[in-house]
Amino acid sequence: MRSFLNGPSFSVPGGSMEEDKPLRERYSSEITPEDFGTKLAVAGWLQDVRNLGGIAFLQLRDRGGVLQVTAIKKEMGPEGFRELVELPRESVITVTGTVQENNQAKAGFEVLPSSWELLSRAEVPLPLGVVDKVGADLDTRLDNRFLDIRKPEVAAIFRLRSILTEGLRRSLVDQGFVEVATPKIVSAGAEGGATLFKLDYFGKPAYLAQSPQLYKQHLMATGLDRVFEVAPAFRAEPSDTSRHLAEFTSLDVEQAYVRTSEDVMVTVERMTVDGIRYMIEGGQELLDQLIVRLDVPPQPFRRIPYDECIDMLRGDGADVPEDAEMGTEHEKALGQLVHQRWGEDFYFITDFPTRYKVGTFYAHRHEDRPELTGYFDLGVRGLEIASGGKREHRLDVVTAQMEEGGLRPADFEFYLKAFRYGMPPHGGFGYGLERLLQVLLGLSNIRETVLYPRDRQRLVP
Ligand code: ATP
Ligand code: MG
């Protein structure tokens, strides 16, 4: 297999590379016994050097893994040998050499250099060790994220994130959904004023979108019928937690002609199962590297009405006050109870009481029991991953629910207009991509799943 990642080649003093030689012909993981005896170029970071005097073993790390370059003084000359083995750790080099079988080397082969070139010298000391046994704290790691991601076990998280996202997307496309993009600079919030980021938009007040809620519902009046979006959502969360970010990736879905929230739950379920299956199939090695064992969750996911969840918690001795919504601790305890009772990790909490969804003016309420909405949360091991349900598509009812929640319908005229000229019944959900990845990989902090997390403290890098 030929590598496609050949950059421009250049020479620096001390190097002896030919101008037209590729910097890299193979990743370490692409080298096979067929290459033994041939000369080719490898490149990467100099992870470690063990210098025994006349011979030195260099560990060269690239995206595929680590390979050994064996430098022999007698063959390279004392000057060239010294220059190479004294390079600071994490410098970037390209080496052209003969691949040779060597069972002492971890990869089963070594590269005997005939020429090499320094592409970038690393400064000393490193602000964060890449191969250190002792783990640095998360803040130091995030401050030096480019170095942190050189660690294979950290890079694995982002490679799995890529596979998972693709799996979720494919599932939705297979289910007939159209991917859309809606504005992130908006004039009104959908999830309440408390978490809005305000900004100056050519002298007018504007906000960063908390979710694409209003737009994806708007699109239900267009005939696109089934839409989804994978995009950032912004929330000025009031407190720091291990499951909240100020900027997260929201996977949002909306579908027209739903009868009940059940139609929406079916979509959530299929997308979740497809995404996980895709990640297991495409990312098994990466999962192994993280020592994560994943199974495709059994279907259907259990549906537990909110009131029953409260009963379960009370039955277990939890103190859930009569007029308070389930809190984080209750959500966690519920996850444990579901696991203990049925051995299941994925479940829906359904039929949220209307009193906890008053701010959610777009939620449809049960016709026969208006004290209940059809809204659901997808819970996974005690963590909320998604929320959604059937929406209210009748203009007069949406307007009344807005007023009930203390909002002025006039501020939402652009949204309400779409309800005036033929709006099919519809429903959908918002799904936290980082939350799903966090729970699947068993990560204690959601920040681990984001390259450059944004939170109350963090704006750089
Ligand atoms: P929570 O109660 O956990 O703060 P929420 O109910 O306010 O979440 P929703 O408005 O229902 O969140 O958003 C849909 C999904 O988006 C959530 O189920 C969650 O997976 C994800 N999500 C919401 N807020 C955040 C955040 N600040 N950081 C990361 N993911 C989030
Ligand atoms: Mg929610």
Side-chain angles (χ1 to χ4, degrees):
M1 196 196 332
R2 286 279 141 188
S3 178
F4 49 84
L5 248 180
N6 299 331
S9 173
F10 57 91
S11 293
V12 292
S16 58
M17 300 293 284
E18 299 113 75
E19 293 273 319
D20 56 350
K21 269 223 125 194
L23 293 178
R24 170 188 283 143
E25 288 169 295
R26 295 278 201 290
Y27 279 117
S28 56
S29 53
E30 293 171 338
I31 293 175
T32 66
E34 277 178 35
D35 295 309
F36 293 171
T38 60
K39 200 187 241 193
L40 47 82
V42 292
W45 284 273
L46 186 58
Q47 177 168 295
D48 190 36
V49 179
R50 198 152 56 90
N51 181 5
L52 304 182
I55 187 167
F57 303 107
L58 287 68
Q59 303 301 320
L60 189 72
R61 188 187 65 247
D62 62 20
R63 201 177 79 174
V66 178
L67 61 76
Q68 176 177 304
V69 174
T70 306
I72 300 166
K73 196 191 245 168
K74 220 167 51 207
E75 281 170 21
M76 298 181 72
E79 201 47 28
F81 180 81
R82 193 178 55 80
E83 255 180 61
L84 179 59
V85 303
E86 287 184 359
L87 283 176
R89 305 292 184 273
E90 296 303 317
S91 294
V92 179
I93 59 172
T94 172
V95 177
T96 297
T98 307
V99 182
Q100 181 173 286
E101 183 169 16
N102 178 350
N103 293 325
Q104 314 272 270
K106 246 201 187 128
F109 65 88
E110 62 189 342
V111 174
L112 300 170
S114 44
S115 63
W116 62 275
E117 192 179 344
L118 173 62
L119 302 176
S120 173
R121 178 183 291 272
E123 289 183 21
V124 182
L126 294 167
L128 179 76
V130 175
V131 285
D132 291 0
K133 290 272 179 292
V134 194
D137 62 78
L138 186 59
D139 268 323
T140 310
R141 289 179 42 209
L142 293 176
D143 286 343
N144 300 284
R145 199 54 156 158
F146 65 95
L147 279 169
D148 188 44
I149 295 169
R150 286 187 200 173
K151 299 174 192 157
E153 69 277 16
V154 178
I157 296 173
F158 296 100
R159 295 173 71 173
L160 285 165
R161 180 179 163 136
S162 165
I163 298 170
L164 176 63
T165 311
E166 192 187 338
L168 296 167
R169 244 197 193 102
R170 280 186 180 212
S171 175
L172 290 170
V173 171
D174 283 352
Q175 295 183 62
F177 286 86
V178 178
E179 184 161 5
V180 297
T182 65
K184 300 303 151 208
I185 303 175
V186 298
S187 67
E191 312 299 328
T195 64
L196 277 171
F197 281 111
K198 196 170 177 177
L199 53 95
D200 176 77
Y201 188 70
F202 304 112
K204 289 203 192 92
Y207 308 95
L208 291 177
Q210 294 161 308
S211 88
Q213 181 66 34
L214 304 184
Y215 286 97
K216 62 181 180 166
Q217 280 193 263
H218 216 253
L219 289 171
M220 295 301 96
T222 63
L224 286 175
D225 271 14
R226 291 160 91 78
V227 302
F228 78 100
E229 178 168 21
V230 186
F234 305 91
R235 296 194 191 178
E237 297 289 351
S239 54
D240 278 316
T241 78
S242 60
R243 60 186 198 294
H244 286 99
L245 297 157
E247 177 177 350
F248 68 96
T249 303
S250 186
L251 197 168
D252 270 273
V253 171
E254 203 69 26
Q255 61 191 86
Y257 301 97
V258 307
R259 272 272 179 227
T260 67
S261 292
E262 182 57 34
D263 297 335
V264 182
M265 282 186 268
V266 167
T267 307
V268 175
E269 197 172 87
R270 178 162 162 203
M271 179 190 85
T272 305
V273 167
D274 287 349
I276 294 172
R277 184 178 294 120
Y278 195 79
M279 179 156 111
I280 294 172
E281 284 168 5
Q284 192 59 64
E285 261 178 56
L286 297 162
L287 290 167
D288 289 347
Q289 193 168 10
L290 295 175
I291 320 174
V292 169
R293 209 197 111 88
L294 262 190
D295 293 311
V296 177
Q299 284 172 276
F301 299 168
R302 190 169 296 277
R303 276 87 163 139
I304 317 170
Y306 186 92
D307 286 342
E308 253 177 59
C309 294
I310 300 294
D311 291 345
M312 278 173 70
L313 287 163
R314 290 205 180 119
D316 190 51
D319 175 31
V320 194
E322 206 49 59
D323 51 355
E325 198 176 351
M326 231 195 282
T328 312
E329 289 314 308
H330 300 133
E331 286 175 16
K332 278 190 192 155
L334 182 70
Q336 282 173 358
L337 285 176
V338 171
H339 188 84
Q340 281 163 16
R341 195 164 296 179
W342 297 293
E344 295 164 1
D345 291 328
F346 291 71
Y347 49 90
F348 287 111
I349 305 170
T350 64
D351 304 289
F352 266 75
T354 300
R355 65 184 185 283
Y356 303 135
K357 292 286 175 191
V358 170
T360 313
F361 58 82
Y362 42 80
H364 178 265
R365 299 171 188 178
H366 285 312
E367 304 296 333
D368 47 343
R369 296 184 63 192
E371 74 280 12
L372 293 183
T373 68
Y375 261 50
F376 61 82
D377 273 5
L378 171 67
V380 184
R381 287 179 215 145
L383 187 68
E384 178 194 321
I385 301 296
S387 286
K390 179 173 154 78
R391 320 294 189 189
E392 181 49 65
H393 74 286
R394 295 165 298 182
L395 177 66
D396 52 333
V397 185
V398 184
T399 311
Q401 290 185 180
M402 243 177 209
E403 282 167 343
E404 189 188 335
L407 296 168
R408 293 188 337 151
D411 293 340
F412 293 85
E413 183 45 33
F414 82 93
Y415 165 75
L416 293 171
K417 196 173 178 184
F419 289 70
R420 292 211 169 94
Y421 307 98
M423 171 62 97
H426 59 276
F429 59 90
Y431 197 107
L433 181 68
E434 289 90 359
R435 291 243 181 122
L436 178 65
L437 192 63
Q438 181 186 4
V439 75
L440 291 181
L441 301 186
L443 301 167
S444 59
N445 197 318
I446 196 167
R447 288 161 185 75
E448 297 269 9
T449 68
V450 186
L451 291 171
Y452 303 102
R454 290 287 172 264
D455 61 28
R456 293 168 66 86
Q457 268 72 44
R458 200 163 272 284
L459 187 56
V460 177

